Amino acid sequence: MSLTTIWSHKMRSGLTLLGVVIGVAAIIGMMAIITGLQKKIDEELSGLSAGVFQIQRFDNNVGFSHQHRDRTRPPIKWDYIRYLQDLPSVGSVGAEAWQWGQVIVTSLIQTNPNVTVAGGTSEFALNNGYTIEKGRFFTESEVNSKQAVAVLGSKLADKLFSNREPVGQWLRIRGRPFQIIGVFTEKAEMFDGGDKNFFVSIPLSAYENIFGLERGVFITVSSRTPAMMDEAMEESRILLRSIRHLKPQEPDNFAIWNNQQILDTFNNFTKWIKAAAMGIVAVSLLVAGIGIMNIMLVSVTERTREIGVRKALGSRRRDILFQFLVEAVVLSEIGALFGMLLGIGGPLILSAAVKFPVGFPVWTIVLALIFCSFVGVIFGIWPAMKASRLDPIEALRYE
């Protein structure tokens, strides 16, 4: 009977449900995007070797307020690694530096200025979670002797040598020739066009000859075991404070962070987005609830004679109350159903169009259904009580 009543006033019911549809679609769609992003970041960070953390000048906090302060910090120097290697909880220590927007030239092709050049020590591949598909990675002796060798990311290798074997070929970086000795295995990227596979890695000493290291380096440190990560980070922090002659009351002028801290920073940032989404949903459902109450009051007025007939035939007050409450809840749940379809379909289309990761936490769908039922009960109770309290004689006389 409830569905029949709703169906008989399709336009009116549809407009009433619009607020529910928007609210449910907003929360499911927003959570799908945030969850997909979190999952992808987690996968990318787990690609790095376990127990690895980084030391650099800049904090990993979201925002710009700290960047001016960080730029005034003294750079992290390459020779710090020889002190860090002696710490008891530390395994391998590597240094690296990055230069974006470079042109790579081979005998047949010249790229746009969109290639990243990474200078690294022999620990670069291990500490960054890269493996070699073809050839090999450069050794410590090649780093120390400033050998002009290079290892390509998989997409850059395809770009430069689509139908040829890249290992053994030559390329030029700012006019300097480098022989290719290996190609990295393709690594998963968050979005198309990322730098994870479109870069070339060369020895840090050769990188220094081309770009210099005035801005310092990033240092990657692996603890002896993943369980010793916190101990290794604390030992490294104390050592760096000593190297950089910091007094006890002075804050660190460097940053040490690991994958979990990056994830925590992201989660801290997204919690405000989630709070904003919940606010939008609350307002939408409040408006929708008022609409449901309004349409149910109209329905009670239009069906006064029907209520009188039902009471004359023996229906009790609670039967009438229950009937109108069910109609309000069903109305709200139909809106939730359309909102779910829109909230799931929209992100899926977006994901297919721009290869954006999405994920659908079950709790958001369950919560939407429960909350919409709650809205239906709260805003349907007054019209239902009004209907149940109608005097049957007066109701039968109603025209």
Side-chain angles (χ1 to χ4, degrees):
M1 185 178 292
S2 300
L3 291 174
T4 303
T5 304
I6 293 168
W7 183 251
S8 63
H9 300 90
K10 294 186 282 296
M11 178 62 74
R12 188 174 69 182
S13 301
L15 292 175
T16 302
L17 296 179
L18 202 54
V20 179
V21 174
I22 293 173
V24 173
I27 187 64
I28 293 178
M30 188 75 74
M31 290 307 303
I33 292 172
I34 292 176
T35 302
L37 208 51
Q38 283 179 316
K39 184 179 178 182
K40 195 65 182 176
I41 288 176
D42 199 27
E43 288 176 357
E44 293 228 340
L45 294 179
S46 66
L48 298 177
S49 299
V52 175
F53 59 91
Q54 294 195 24
I55 302 171
Q56 63 174 40
R57 286 169 67 188
F58 293 88
D59 285 329
N60 65 335
N61 296 328
V62 176
F64 301 99
S65 59
H66 61 91
Q67 292 193 358
H68 175 70
R69 178 206 64 192
D70 293 355
R71 286 195 201 95
T72 63
R73 290 173 166 177
I76 304 295
K77 297 180 180 178
W78 182 1
D79 64 357
Y80 289 177
I81 64 175
R82 61 193 172 99
Y83 303 108
L84 290 163
Q85 285 170 337
D86 295 333
L87 294 175
S89 60
V90 165
S92 65
V93 184
E96 60 194 58
W98 298 77
Q99 195 76 31
W100 287 267
Q102 298 302 305
V103 174
I104 304 298
V105 180
T106 69
S107 59
L108 298 177
I109 193 171
Q110 174 174 321
T111 69
N112 294 322
N114 58 356
V115 178
T116 302
V117 177
T121 57
S122 55
E123 296 82 7
F124 175 88
L126 177 65
N127 285 358
N128 286 281
Y130 283 101
T131 57
I132 297 296
E133 181 181 355
K134 297 176 181 177
R136 63 178 179 84
F137 196 65
F138 43 79
T139 62
E140 184 177 354
S141 64
E142 287 173 323
V143 175
N144 293 335
S145 59
K146 304 180 180 179
Q147 290 294 307
V149 293
V151 181
L152 301 181
S154 58
K155 286 188 177 177
L156 182 59
D158 292 339
K159 172 78 174 178
L160 298 176
F161 307 99
S162 56
N163 297 314
R164 294 183 295 161
E165 172 58 47
V167 177
Q169 304 286 343
W170 290 80
L171 56 79
R172 288 182 176 273
I173 303 172
R174 292 199 175 181
R176 309 281 183 94
F178 285 83
Q179 185 174 31
I180 300 166
I181 60 171
V183 177
F184 290 116
T185 304
E186 184 171 353
K187 199 171 183 179
E189 293 180 317
M190 187 176 299
F191 306 107
D192 280 353
D195 290 331
K196 286 185 175 296
N197 300 298
F198 202 73
F199 79 107
V200 54
S201 179
I202 60 177
L204 188 58
S205 52
Y207 177 98
E208 185 178 19
N209 285 341
I210 300 175
F211 302 106
L213 292 177
E214 290 76 15
R215 291 183 298 172
V217 298
F218 302 86
I219 291 180
T220 55
V221 183
S222 69
S223 55
R224 290 195 178 278
T225 66
M228 298 175 75
M229 168 87 87
D230 292 340
E231 186 180 348
M233 291 176 70
E234 185 58 20
E235 287 180 354
S236 300
R237 192 181 73 83
I238 294 172
L239 176 64
L240 258 69
R241 287 185 61 85
S242 173
I243 293 174
R244 293 160 81 89
H245 306 294
L246 292 174
K247 296 177 182 177
Q249 68 274 17
E250 289 182 305
D252 295 342
N253 58 4
F254 55 88
I256 298 180
W257 44 268
N258 58 25
N259 296 344
Q260 186 56 49
Q261 288 172 322
I262 298 173
L263 199 58
D264 290 344
T265 300
F266 175 78
N267 289 336
N268 188 50
F269 177 68
T270 56
K271 75 179 182 183
W272 297 109
I273 299 176
K274 293 176 184 175
M278 293 302 292
I280 294 171
V281 171
V283 172
S284 298
L285 291 182
L286 176 64
V287 173
I290 294 171
I292 289 172
M293 182 186 290
N294 181 54
I295 196 175
M296 292 306 298
L297 286 171
V298 172
S299 179
V300 170
T301 303
E302 290 176 344
R303 294 158 61 191
T304 299
R305 191 173 180 81
E306 172 196 322
I307 295 169
V309 171
R310 292 197 62 194
K311 284 198 168 184
L313 293 175
S315 294
R316 296 164 295 183
R317 288 181 60 181
R318 64 184 180 188
D319 297 327
I320 304 297
L321 179 76
F322 183 72
Q323 176 192 343
F324 278 87
L325 265 184
V326 168
E327 286 184 16
V329 172
V330 169
L331 199 60
S332 184
E333 290 299 341
I334 289 174
L337 180 63
F338 281 102
M340 286 166 52
L341 293 175
L342 187 62
I344 293 173
L348 286 177
I349 293 172
L350 176 67
S351 176
V354 298
K355 299 188 183 305
F356 193 90
V358 294
F360 297 98
V362 176
W363 68 265
T364 58
I365 297 173
V366 174
L367 183 65
L369 291 173
I370 293 174
F371 205 67
C372 286
S373 298
F374 183 72
V375 167
V377 171
I378 293 297
F379 290 92
I381 189 70
W382 183 28
M385 288 178 66
K386 183 179 179 182
S388 68
R389 289 172 179 173
L390 284 175
D391 182 83
I393 304 300
E394 294 297 324
L396 285 171
R397 289 176 179 172
Y398 185 81
E399 294 295 338

